[in-house]
Amino acid sequence: MRFVVGRLPLRCVHRPVSTLRPSPLLCRFTPIRLQSTQAPAQEPPQPSEPPPAKAPTAGLFAVEHDSGRARHLSWSEKGEMQTEWREISSGTVDMKPASTSAGASIVGRFTSWLRQMFLPTNYPQSVHVSYLPYHILQFLEGIVGTVVGVLCNQALLVSVGISAEGSILGAVAVQWIIKDGAGEIAKLWFIRRYSPFFDSHPKTFNLIGSGSVLLGSGLQIAALLIPPTLENFLLCAAGGNVFKMVGGAIWLTCHIKFIRLFSKQGNMGDVAAKAESQGSVSQLLGYGVGVGLLAVSQSPAYLYSVFAVAAPLHLVTIAYMLRVATFELLTLPRLTFLAKDYAAGAGRPESEEERNLLFSLPSLAELERREEIGFYGEFFKHKEDNYLELAPKLEDIIASPTPATRETWDACVEAFNNNPYLLYPHMAADGTCKIAAFYRPSITTDNILRSALHAAFLERHIARVQASKDGPLEALGNREVLDPVLAKSQEWTTLHYLEFKNMLTDSGWQTDEIAFADRGRRVLWGSATHTQPPPPAPLSASSIEK
């Protein structure tokens, strides 16, 4: 055996093996080689075969949301694609598997079809959390309401048949026109009178509309119990139709607002369309139940007995349906309470860090548990809490001006000359302090929210000032007292408004809309009144001749 030793440079000996590279630039000499003298000569190296292609990594590679479910796509060990459908909840994306092959099975396709037919796209992420219980109860309400409608139609048909002697098709058509025309006229009047409250009290008017429909249905069924004359028919048919059409108009307008509140991804059309498809099925079931009840008997006593059971059930279902529709909407009672709660908390003596740890605004659920707000959150539970008047009629607030009234108004105009709103404190007839908030034409929702917080602090601060003075008139009618109060309220609101709004958002409240009965009243004051163009001068006789 012979040894053939190659010389190695020191840097190659001491260099870690993992850093060596087979390059002549790094090591100019051949490495050590041991070879037997009797061993055959080494064969030249054969070109090695390329390594086999690496299989794609097995496992999940995509999640696709489709029709309210999550489709998990993954690679198998053989490189094949596997599909697994999973249900999606409003809070999480990955729930337990519904079916590994639901997308290809008959059940999976049928479930997908039902979702696309009756549920909004991307349900439940695209709607409010109370969408499902609300629409389940609405579905039941539609069945019961349709049963009542079937009874009414039967009563009217029997009434017309009893009074029909000979050919009176023309008279019946005229009666029907009068019936519908009276309902349209009543609907116009009601909308004109109460439409400003549909935004601020949607649940209340929804319940009122349902009660109106039931009242009209009761009048129409009464056509079976009275003599079949023209006057009696018009009294029952037209009078009943008045209440039913007014109730239908209320339901439609409030339903539009409900659809918007349910739609969380701008999918109002989709949510409304699916509500129609749900209503169609509930009406078909109601028709079936109504026809089945009519097959038992058609006597007036029987029809009224069924109506006596169905009408209360209808109202109770609607009341609970509106109860489960929990919208984080800032109505005037809710906003007033939250603003007062913040004004009281912001005045605590703790430091800012301690106050942030100890104080937060209540959420909708917490506010309902405290039972501080009245019916559906649209009314005040305590009369003294209703101290804020948004966009009232100016002449109603200053009905009988006095020197003290003018002093108060001048002080408010100077304090709010450059603001988009003006707060006017005044004494009500019951001796309590009220805050009237007037708004410029360019008012925004953010300004209204700020004015509510400003009014909460102002009302609280005026109460403290009044307690230290001789009487309320001394505080509101004296510029030396009122000017510092208004100035301090401006500084306090500027300092705390952003924190108040952030707390509302953190508690889940919707700060982009304030639900109050806005009749469109807007006011200009201070320097804005002097920049308006003068009214046109009346035309004289000479100018008319020219």
Side-chain angles (χ1 to χ4, degrees), residues 140-214:
L140 299 176
E141 178 269 333
I143 296 176
V144 179
T146 306
V147 171
V148 175
V150 171
L151 301 178
C152 296
N153 292 335
Q154 178 65 19
L156 293 177
L157 290 175
V158 173
S159 176
V160 173
I162 293 175
S163 62
E165 297 180 358
S167 178
I168 55 170
L169 295 178
V172 173
V174 171
Q175 294 174 26
W176 222 259
I177 291 174
I178 294 175
K179 174 181 72 70
D180 291 340
E184 294 292 345
I185 294 174
K187 185 172 66 174
L188 290 174
W189 175 85
F190 193 88
I191 292 176
R192 168 67 178 81
R193 178 68 177 82
Y194 294 103
S195 60
F197 297 94
F198 290 172
D199 284 315
S200 58
H201 300 74
K203 294 185 178 181
T204 302
F205 274 91
N206 198 315
L207 189 60
I208 291 175
S210 301
S212 178
V213 171
L214 290 177

Side-chain angles (χ1 to χ4, degrees), residues 231-420:
E231 292 79 10
N232 291 336
F233 176 82
L234 291 179
L235 176 64
C236 295
N241 207 49
V242 164
F243 288 101
K244 293 182 73 173
M245 294 192 72
V246 168
I250 294 174
W251 181 89
L252 178 61
T253 52
C254 294
H255 185 65
I256 294 174
K257 187 176 184 66
F258 276 49
I259 290 295
R260 185 181 60 79
L261 293 174
F262 277 125
S263 307
K264 295 178 63 178
Q265 296 181 353
N267 54 340
M268 287 182 56
D270 186 28
V271 174
K274 300 309 166 53
E276 288 295 321
S277 63
Q278 298 163 8
S280 298
V281 175
S282 66
Q283 285 192 5
L284 290 175
L285 293 177
Y287 289 149
V289 176
V291 171
L293 292 175
L294 291 177
V296 177
S297 175
Q298 298 183 16
S299 64
Y302 173 76
L303 293 179
Y304 253 103
S305 299
V306 177
F307 177 78
V309 175
L313 179 61
H314 191 201
L315 281 179
V316 170
T317 305
I318 291 178
Y320 276 99
M321 179 180 72
L322 297 174
R323 180 68 176 175
V324 301
T326 53
F327 302 124
E328 295 79 7
L329 192 64
L330 286 175
T331 60
L332 180 58
R334 291 172 177 173
L335 178 59
T336 302
F337 180 85
L338 293 171
K340 286 186 65 175
D341 201 19
Y342 178 85
R348 294 177 182 178
E350 296 94 347
S351 63
E352 183 176 357
E353 293 77 8
E354 294 175 345
R355 186 170 58 83
N356 291 336
L357 295 175
L358 299 175
F359 172 67
S360 62
L361 292 178
S363 63
L364 176 59
E366 295 170 347
L367 189 61
E368 290 182 345
R369 284 195 297 267
R370 292 167 66 171
E371 298 182 353
E372 296 288 347
I373 305 299
F375 188 63
Y376 288 148
E378 298 172 354
F379 295 90
F380 289 93
K381 187 175 183 179
H382 306 289
K383 184 178 179 181
E384 58 271 14
D385 293 335
N386 188 11
Y387 66 88
L388 179 59
E389 302 166 293
L390 300 183
K393 198 173 183 179
L394 183 58
E395 60 183 0
D396 292 341
I397 302 300
I398 312 180
S400 55
T402 61
T405 302
R406 296 188 61 179
E407 286 290 326
T408 304
W409 177 260
D410 292 341
C412 294
V413 168
E414 292 182 10
F416 296 94
N417 186 39
N418 297 323
N419 284 39

